[in-house]
Amino acid sequence: MEGVPTDDSNLVIRALKLMREKTGKTDVFFKANLIKCVPAQAGLGGGSGNAATAMHGANELMGCPATQEQ
């Protein structure tokens, strides 16, 4: 999608990397398909919400190694 970065400036990519690092599951990789309904870089918090959802999904797929408090 135009305007959505595919490097470490993308919050979803950063969130997934952080999950791998913090859980120690560095051999686990994800393929993410982001479908945005909020325009990229509109300042509406879409990126933060996407990152939070990615972290939750990654945690579920890894068997919940992170608690909700973490």
Side-chain angles (χ1 to χ4, degrees):
M1 175 178 203
E2 187 175 330
V4 178
T6 57
D7 59 12
D8 283 345
S9 66
N10 183 305
L11 293 179
V12 170
I13 293 172
R14 288 170 50 188
L16 293 174
K17 283 185 175 183
L18 182 65
M19 284 295 296
R20 292 174 57 238
E21 290 170 10
K22 293 293 184 180
T23 60
K25 296 188 178 237
T26 56
D27 59 338
V28 176
F29 295 90
F30 301 96
K31 179 177 180 180
N33 182 20
L34 178 61
I35 300 171
K36 294 187 69 70
C37 295
V38 174
Q41 300 176 350
L44 299 174
S48 300
N50 295 337
T53 300
M55 290 181 89
H56 177 76
N59 192 49
E60 291 290 321
L61 289 170
M62 291 190 292
C64 300
T67 65
Q68 290 295 325
E69 292 77 26
Q70 293 173 313

